[in-house]
Amino acid sequence: MTKKMLAVLPFENLGQAGDEYVSDGITDEVISRLSNLQGLGVISRTSAMVYKKSRKTVPQIGRELGVEYVLEGSVRWDHGKNGEGFMRISPQLIRVAGDTPIWTETYDMSTKDLFALQSDIAEQVARKLDLTILEPERKTLKDQPTKNLKAYDVYLRGRKTEYQAWTSWQYDDLRTTVSFFEEAVNYDPDFALAYAALSVVHSRIYFFGYDRTDERLAKARAAADKALSLQPDLPDAKLALAYYYYLSLIHISEPTRPY
């Protein structure tokens, strides 16, 4: 069966500059949820992020990525008290041929409803593309990685500094990433996705020569095992264990670009 091809472009942050990690995190989560659907091919985050703040048109981007559809959007976060605020998120699904919008929506919501919103965006895209959503896929679409908004907030901050680290090549950025992910699991000890992310960073720190110690490897393995114990079927947890085995066996003496 030929898959329909989709690119999810980085959602634009319309709020404060410091809120950009939230719009990036929403983009990541929508990509992750859509990637689990049969019949749909989703361009990787790495390839899509090249077009962040790009002035290229949708037809240009579509041709370069080889996709039929593009999902773009914007995010504005109005901060409230006690860590809870309100967001306006405006996604738009566009058919590349003719640069034609086929679905637009504006969501005004509390931050506590963020996971439901991300699920709804993915489900609406699937419907507009006439994809059949199987029951296991529907369950995955509606999964919540954590019920603790503070844990999720620091997890998203960690993802932001992780991506930054592979541009800056500063060990301090990697240490900051580890601190964010550790803070996330302290807020929510059942946050499997954060444990998986923590494991991958530990493995990469070892692999690229920043800390080639048995203690670093042990931390990578422990975090991967914890993620799997919490959610045995979580793809990120399985990937974390695979990273651990691969990067602990094949390493290099000096850090080089990972991508």
Side-chain angles (χ1 to χ4, degrees):
M1 179 178 64
T2 302
K3 290 186 175 183
K4 295 179 179 179
M5 296 300 299
L6 169 75
V8 181
L9 300 184
F11 280 31
E12 181 182 4
N13 171 41
L14 298 181
Q16 302 173 27
D19 294 341
E20 192 160 325
Y21 74 96
V22 176
S23 56
D24 287 347
I26 291 171
T27 305
D28 286 352
E29 188 63 25
V30 172
I31 289 174
S32 176
R33 291 171 190 264
L34 288 171
S35 296
N36 290 313
L37 298 179
Q38 294 187 33
L40 183 64
V42 182
I43 297 298
S44 72
R45 179 197 191 276
T46 303
S47 296
M49 284 300 289
V50 172
Y51 297 95
K52 186 171 185 176
K53 299 181 181 179
S54 172
R55 294 186 178 182
K56 291 184 177 181
T57 66
V58 166
Q60 286 176 312
I61 295 172
R63 285 193 298 270
E64 292 177 9
L65 293 177
V67 298
E68 304 161 84
Y69 302 93
V70 165
L71 178 67
E72 60 180 13
S74 62
V75 179
R76 183 183 295 277
W77 181 14
D78 294 324
H79 297 257
K81 296 180 179 179
N82 301 320
E84 185 176 316
F86 290 87
M87 287 185 174
R88 168 166 286 190
I89 302 177
S90 302
Q92 179 173 231
L93 180 63
I94 303 170
R95 182 181 288 109
V96 171
D99 195 8
T100 308
I102 58 176
W103 174 68
T104 61
E105 187 65 81
T106 297
Y107 296 88
D108 290 307
M109 43 157 289
S110 167
T111 52
K112 67 182 181 181
D113 298 322
L114 181 58
F115 298 125
L117 177 278
Q118 292 169 161
S119 298
D120 191 67
I121 291 175
E123 191 162 354
Q124 291 298 330
V125 169
R127 287 177 178 174
K128 296 301 178 181
L129 297 182
D130 293 323
L131 299 175
T132 300
I133 304 177
L134 303 177
E135 194 54 39
E137 295 173 338
R138 191 178 303 280
K139 180 180 181 301
T140 300
L141 281 180
K142 296 185 179 299
D143 277 348
Q144 294 188 14
T146 177
K147 294 182 179 179
N148 188 309
L149 286 177
K150 184 60 178 177
Y152 191 62
D153 180 78
V154 293
Y155 167 77
L156 292 183
R157 292 177 186 271
R159 294 309 297 248
K160 182 70 173 179
T161 58
E162 181 185 8
Y163 298 135
Q164 178 180 315
W166 303 122
T167 301
S168 70
W169 284 94
Q170 298 298 312
Y171 187 26
D172 283 347
D173 287 334
L174 289 169
R175 283 193 287 247
T176 299
T177 300
V178 168
S179 295
F180 276 131
F181 290 154
E182 288 179 338
E183 187 178 358
V185 298
N186 283 335
Y187 279 117
D188 180 2
D190 295 327
F191 195 172
L193 189 62
Y195 279 111
L198 177 61
S199 174
V200 170
V201 175
H202 281 313
S203 292
R204 285 178 164 174
I205 287 173
Y206 179 87
F207 177 74
F208 290 108
Y210 293 105
D211 179 5
R212 193 66 58 70
T213 63
D214 290 341
E215 181 182 4
R216 182 65 63 179
L217 273 183
K219 288 180 177 179
R221 179 59 189 265
D225 286 346
K226 181 65 174 180
L228 285 167
S229 70
L230 290 167
Q231 286 187 243
D233 295 327
L234 182 68
D236 294 77
K238 296 177 182 179
L239 182 63
L241 187 60
Y243 263 112
Y244 164 78
Y245 280 121
Y246 179 74
L247 299 183
S248 65
L249 293 174
I250 304 175
H251 57 258
I252 54 182
S253 58
E254 296 294 336
T256 60
R257 297 187 67 84
Y259 305 120

